[in-house]
Amino acid sequence: DVQLVESGGDLVQPGGSLRLSCAASGFMLSSFWMAWVRQAPGKGLEWVANINQDGSDKRYVDSVKGRFTISRDNAKNSLYLQMSSLNVDDAAVYYCAKWGETTVTSRYWYFDLWGHGTLVTVSS
Amino acid sequence: DIQMTQSPSSLSASVGDSVTITCRASQSIDSSLNWYQHKPGTAPRLLIYGASNLQSGVPSKFSGSRSGTDFTLTITSLQPEDFATYYCQQASRTPETFGQGTKVEIK
């Protein structure tokens, strides 16, 4: 089956660090841009970070720049999110998502595969 | 950043009804607009990409359209499995922002 499975979510104190992982199966991660998206309790979806196929291009939402690092290990078919200096606003379910692209008529990008998410709780 | 204003934030409808959800972009995004369905505890699901293209495997009861910077998602003949939260997302420029979501509830 084609799927993404996140892990690593936990309860962490403000100021702490955490590393999330996303294991891909059924397809080659190395062929696709990947992303992390989060959903805070009672809130909507928020894009967090993107990474290109070889890890040379990384982009972040302003609120996590300098604190979060997205990375990948294509040999392990895995995506990661290293989070540091966590604050209560970072508490959320974090989803791993695969970017799909079509160029049939025009070029469109979209998340065509998502994981079920992993919960990050930030509390003292 | 491009702001996506989605409305309504929630709606109540009955099984068999049709509903329409609207998303407005703060600037031109051409047709780089996606729609997702999300149920609690599950992975979000892509419904529509490029404003009006139905993702493979998604039933034709879902449709999308564009008029300038206004986008609509229409769901016909609502069934129990369609009650969920729906999000639009612009994929024209990073950050790829989402709308606030529309929760479709059973009346």
Side-chain angles (χ1 to χ4, degrees), chain A residues 28-44:
Chain A
M28 294 297 291
L29 196 78
S30 57
S31 296
F32 303 98
W33 278 79
M34 296 295 296
W36 287 97
V37 177
R38 67 185 178 183
Q39 182 177 33
K43 304 294 186 181

mmCIF file of all heavy atoms in Angstrom, chain A residues 28-44:
data_model
loop_
_atom_site.group_PDB
_atom_site.id
_atom_site.type_symbol
_atom_site.label_atom_id
_atom_site.label_comp_id
_atom_site.label_asym_id
_atom_site.label_seq_id
_atom_site.Cartn_x
_atom_site.Cartn_y
_atom_site.Cartn_z
ATOM 1 N N MET A 28 8.704 5.648 -4.066
ATOM 2 C CA MET A 28 10.046 6.160 -3.809
ATOM 3 C C MET A 28 9.972 7.622 -3.381
ATOM 4 O O MET A 28 9.653 8.510 -4.178
ATOM 5 C CB MET A 28 10.895 6.034 -5.073
ATOM 6 C CG MET A 28 11.153 4.596 -5.488
ATOM 7 S SD MET A 28 12.106 3.706 -4.250
ATOM 8 C CE MET A 28 13.688 4.528 -4.406
ATOM 9 N N LEU A 29 10.263 7.860 -2.114
ATOM 10 C CA LEU A 29 10.229 9.224 -1.582
ATOM 11 C C LEU A 29 11.128 10.156 -2.396
ATOM 12 O O LEU A 29 10.820 11.338 -2.568
ATOM 13 C CB LEU A 29 10.678 9.206 -0.122
ATOM 14 C CG LEU A 29 10.370 10.422 0.727
ATOM 15 C CD1 LEU A 29 8.915 10.405 1.160
ATOM 16 C CD2 LEU A 29 11.278 10.476 1.938
ATOM 17 N N SER A 30 12.216 9.612 -2.914
ATOM 18 C CA SER A 30 13.245 10.420 -3.572
ATOM 19 C C SER A 30 12.734 11.160 -4.807
ATOM 20 O O SER A 30 13.391 12.072 -5.300
ATOM 21 C CB SER A 30 14.430 9.545 -3.963
ATOM 22 O OG SER A 30 14.011 8.488 -4.800
ATOM 23 N N SER A 31 11.580 10.774 -5.322
ATOM 24 C CA SER A 31 11.063 11.380 -6.553
ATOM 25 C C SER A 31 10.192 12.593 -6.309
ATOM 26 O O SER A 31 9.769 13.251 -7.282
ATOM 27 C CB SER A 31 10.235 10.342 -7.337
ATOM 28 O OG SER A 31 11.033 9.268 -7.750
ATOM 29 N N PHE A 32 9.918 12.916 -5.064
ATOM 30 C CA PHE A 32 8.888 13.923 -4.782
ATOM 31 C C PHE A 32 9.327 14.995 -3.783
ATOM 32 O O PHE A 32 10.084 14.729 -2.857
ATOM 33 C CB PHE A 32 7.641 13.236 -4.242
ATOM 34 C CG PHE A 32 7.085 12.188 -5.162
ATOM 35 C CD1 PHE A 32 7.376 10.846 -4.960
ATOM 36 C CD2 PHE A 32 6.293 12.555 -6.237
ATOM 37 C CE1 PHE A 32 6.883 9.874 -5.818
ATOM 38 C CE2 PHE A 32 5.798 11.594 -7.101
ATOM 39 C CZ PHE A 32 6.094 10.256 -6.893
ATOM 40 N N TRP A 33 8.814 16.194 -3.974
ATOM 41 C CA TRP A 33 8.807 17.197 -2.917
ATOM 42 C C TRP A 33 7.932 16.658 -1.792
ATOM 43 O O TRP A 33 6.929 15.986 -2.042
ATOM 44 C CB TRP A 33 8.197 18.510 -3.425
ATOM 45 C CG TRP A 33 9.107 19.403 -4.191
ATOM 46 C CD1 TRP A 33 9.478 19.273 -5.505
ATOM 47 C CD2 TRP A 33 9.728 20.602 -3.717
ATOM 48 N NE1 TRP A 33 10.291 20.324 -5.859
ATOM 49 C CE2 TRP A 33 10.472 21.151 -4.791
ATOM 50 C CE3 TRP A 33 9.722 21.277 -2.485
ATOM 51 C CZ2 TRP A 33 11.203 22.339 -4.663
ATOM 52 C CZ3 TRP A 33 10.452 22.453 -2.380
ATOM 53 C CH2 TRP A 33 11.183 22.961 -3.455
ATOM 54 N N MET A 34 8.324 16.976 -0.552
ATOM 55 C CA MET A 34 7.561 16.552 0.621
ATOM 56 C C MET A 34 7.326 17.752 1.536
ATOM 57 O O MET A 34 7.980 18.800 1.388
ATOM 58 C CB MET A 34 8.309 15.461 1.380
ATOM 59 C CG MET A 34 8.503 14.174 0.604
ATOM 60 S SD MET A 34 6.949 13.328 0.234
ATOM 61 C CE MET A 34 6.374 12.911 1.883
ATOM 62 N N ALA A 35 6.408 17.583 2.478
ATOM 63 C CA ALA A 35 6.052 18.706 3.346
ATOM 64 C C ALA A 35 5.569 18.222 4.705
ATOM 65 O O ALA A 35 5.217 17.047 4.881
ATOM 66 C CB ALA A 35 4.951 19.532 2.689
ATOM 67 N N TRP A 36 5.577 19.151 5.642
ATOM 68 C CA TRP A 36 4.913 18.979 6.932
ATOM 69 C C TRP A 36 3.811 20.024 7.023
ATOM 70 O O TRP A 36 4.016 21.194 6.671
ATOM 71 C CB TRP A 36 5.890 19.148 8.084
ATOM 72 C CG TRP A 36 6.851 18.006 8.243
ATOM 73 C CD1 TRP A 36 8.122 17.949 7.765
ATOM 74 C CD2 TRP A 36 6.625 16.773 8.927
ATOM 75 N NE1 TRP A 36 8.705 16.742 8.103
ATOM 76 C CE2 TRP A 36 7.799 16.006 8.819
ATOM 77 C CE3 TRP A 36 5.540 16.224 9.627
ATOM 78 C CZ2 TRP A 36 7.926 14.727 9.371
ATOM 79 C CZ3 TRP A 36 5.662 14.959 10.178
ATOM 80 C CH2 TRP A 36 6.838 14.224 10.052
ATOM 81 N N VAL A 37 2.652 19.585 7.505
ATOM 82 C CA VAL A 37 1.493 20.448 7.713
ATOM 83 C C VAL A 37 0.994 20.164 9.128
ATOM 84 O O VAL A 37 1.047 19.018 9.582
ATOM 85 C CB VAL A 37 0.379 20.132 6.686
ATOM 86 C CG1 VAL A 37 -0.863 20.978 6.959
ATOM 87 C CG2 VAL A 37 0.881 20.354 5.266
ATOM 88 N N ARG A 38 0.536 21.186 9.838
ATOM 89 C CA ARG A 38 0.069 20.961 11.195
ATOM 90 C C ARG A 38 -1.339 21.502 11.404
ATOM 91 O O ARG A 38 -1.815 22.349 10.643
ATOM 92 C CB ARG A 38 1.032 21.579 12.211
ATOM 93 C CG ARG A 38 1.107 23.094 12.187
ATOM 94 C CD ARG A 38 2.183 23.578 13.165
ATOM 95 N NE ARG A 38 2.318 25.035 13.142
ATOM 96 C CZ ARG A 38 3.233 25.697 13.855
ATOM 97 N NH1 ARG A 38 4.081 25.054 14.646
ATOM 98 N NH2 ARG A 38 3.282 27.024 13.775
ATOM 99 N N GLN A 39 -1.957 20.975 12.464
ATOM 100 C CA GLN A 39 -3.293 21.432 12.846
ATOM 101 C C GLN A 39 -3.331 21.569 14.359
ATOM 102 O O GLN A 39 -3.319 20.576 15.084
ATOM 103 C CB GLN A 39 -4.372 20.457 12.379
ATOM 104 C CG GLN A 39 -5.784 20.931 12.707
ATOM 105 C CD GLN A 39 -6.858 20.010 12.177
ATOM 106 O OE1 GLN A 39 -6.683 18.803 12.108
ATOM 107 N NE2 GLN A 39 -7.991 20.597 11.796
ATOM 108 N N ALA A 40 -3.343 22.799 14.829
ATOM 109 C CA ALA A 40 -3.451 23.060 16.260
ATOM 110 C C ALA A 40 -4.851 22.704 16.742
ATOM 111 O O ALA A 40 -5.799 22.690 15.945
ATOM 112 C CB ALA A 40 -3.144 24.524 16.539
ATOM 113 N N PRO A 41 -5.003 22.421 18.032
ATOM 114 C CA PRO A 41 -6.326 22.032 18.552
ATOM 115 C C PRO A 41 -7.391 23.074 18.227
ATOM 116 O O PRO A 41 -7.224 24.263 18.500
ATOM 117 C CB PRO A 41 -6.079 21.944 20.064
ATOM 118 C CG PRO A 41 -4.627 21.666 20.199
ATOM 119 C CD PRO A 41 -3.961 22.380 19.069
ATOM 120 N N GLY A 42 -8.472 22.619 17.608
ATOM 121 C CA GLY A 42 -9.577 23.503 17.271
ATOM 122 C C GLY A 42 -9.315 24.462 16.123
ATOM 123 O O GLY A 42 -10.141 25.337 15.846
ATOM 124 N N LYS A 43 -8.190 24.311 15.459
ATOM 125 C CA LYS A 43 -7.810 25.214 14.371
ATOM 126 C C LYS A 43 -7.771 24.480 13.038
ATOM 127 O O LYS A 43 -7.995 23.278 12.974
ATOM 128 C CB LYS A 43 -6.427 25.832 14.656
ATOM 129 C CG LYS A 43 -6.338 26.564 15.983
ATOM 130 C CD LYS A 43 -7.207 27.797 16.006
ATOM 131 C CE LYS A 43 -6.984 28.591 17.286
ATOM 132 N NZ LYS A 43 -7.856 29.799 17.351
ATOM 133 N N GLY A 44 -7.460 25.229 11.989
ATOM 134 C CA GLY A 44 -7.375 24.652 10.664
ATOM 135 C C GLY A 44 -5.983 24.167 10.329
ATOM 136 O O GLY A 44 -5.072 24.164 11.148
#
